[in-house]
Amino acid sequence: KSANVIFADADLAKAAATAPYGVFDNAGQDCCARSRILVQRSVMDEFLALLEPAVLGVRVEDPSLDTSEMGPLISAGHRDSVASFISASTNVVIRGKVPDGPGYWYPTTVVVPSDEADPLMHEEVFGPVVAVMPFDDEADAIRLTNATEYGLSGSIWTRDVGRAFRVARATESGNLSVNSHSSVRYWTPFGGFKKSGIGRELGPDALHHFTEVKNVFIATED
């Protein structure tokens, strides 16, 4: 349930254009997917207006095609699991289309929950569904970001470098990007907080993760 946090001073056009690729890559079957978008309330409407063409523009096609940007889900059972999060009462504000023919397809779906207690804000969907929720200020953004039992990745969008560092320090997550959605680099540590695990892979920290330290005490007295 990584959060994509967008402050009012951010480059909203870029944030909206890139948001779909922060959550819909691999049809949302990505441990680092930013499946919650938290937007400062004063720019919520503007952001959603910019987000719609970006979501509808995602090319959902046979993944063997060079033009494809999102393919189907892994199985019929998983497609049913993803669909179970969406009901007739769900406030779906944007929904893409899927191709005809074989494949466990599920459309790109953007939801604005009426309550932060909605399962879409807490439970892992692992599919192309993203929940968008407004926040009031920096403290509220941090509270919502951390209101999950997971803490693997996330993004912060702002032009204020001081704010970016403050929010990053307060966020309970192992991998954060500012003004991007880059999570994994082979030369930097990768891992999570809370139920997203312990230890780190990649980067120099991986040596500790894959090392068994042994302490041997030898008495030298007769």
Side-chain angles (χ1 to χ4, degrees):
K1 301 309 294 181
S2 298
N4 180 10
V5 185
I6 299 164
F7 287 92
D9 70 325
D11 182 339
L12 295 183
K14 185 175 181 181
T18 58
Y21 303 97
V23 64
F24 299 143
D25 277 355
N26 206 34
Q29 301 164 121
D30 181 353
C31 58
C32 291
R34 277 73 166 159
S35 56
R36 295 181 298 151
I37 302 178
L38 309 179
V39 186
Q40 196 151 19
R41 194 178 302 275
S42 61
V43 294
M44 177 77 162
D45 291 342
E46 181 181 357
F47 177 80
L48 286 173
L50 292 167
L51 181 64
E52 182 172 13
V55 169
L56 298 180
V58 174
R59 298 185 67 93
V60 183
E61 300 175 327
D62 182 335
S64 66
L65 298 175
D66 291 339
T67 54
S68 176
E69 294 179 319
M70 190 185 107
L73 293 171
I74 192 66
S75 69
H78 186 52
R79 181 178 58 187
D80 292 343
S81 174
V82 172
S84 71
F85 284 88
I86 307 297
S87 68
S89 61
T90 303
N91 184 25
V92 176
V93 295
I94 307 170
R95 190 159 221 175
K97 296 181 179 180
V98 296
D100 296 326
Y104 306 117
W105 302 99
Y106 197 84
T108 54
T109 303
V110 179
V111 175
V112 176
S114 58
D115 191 316
E116 62 186 72
D118 190 296
L120 286 170
M121 293 294 292
H122 302 280
E123 297 181 18
E124 186 58 80
V125 179
F126 217 59
V129 178
V130 62
V132 184
M133 177 71 67
F135 66 85
D136 294 314
D137 54 24
E138 196 172 301
D140 195 32
I142 293 168
R143 179 187 65 82
L144 284 170
T145 298
N146 291 335
T148 172
E149 59 187 1
Y150 305 107
L152 183 57
S153 194
S155 299
I156 301 164
W157 288 78
T158 178
R159 288 186 171 96
D160 185 330
V161 176
R163 171 182 286 148
F165 277 109
R166 286 193 303 272
V167 175
R169 280 195 294 265
T171 297
E172 298 168 348
S173 184
N175 307 274
L176 294 169
S177 291
V178 176
N179 298 329
S180 82
H181 300 302
S182 180
S183 293
V184 183
R185 305 172 188 84
Y186 69 84
W187 63 92
T188 59
F190 177 81
F193 291 2
K194 299 186 284 188
K195 285 192 174 181
S196 290
I198 59 173
R200 294 294 181 267
E201 296 181 315
L202 308 179
D205 295 78
L207 296 176
H208 300 291
H209 186 56
F210 292 101
T211 299
E212 290 183 321
V213 178
K214 180 179 289 186
N215 175 32
V216 179
F217 175 79
I218 300 175
T220 58
E221 297 180 359
D222 293 336

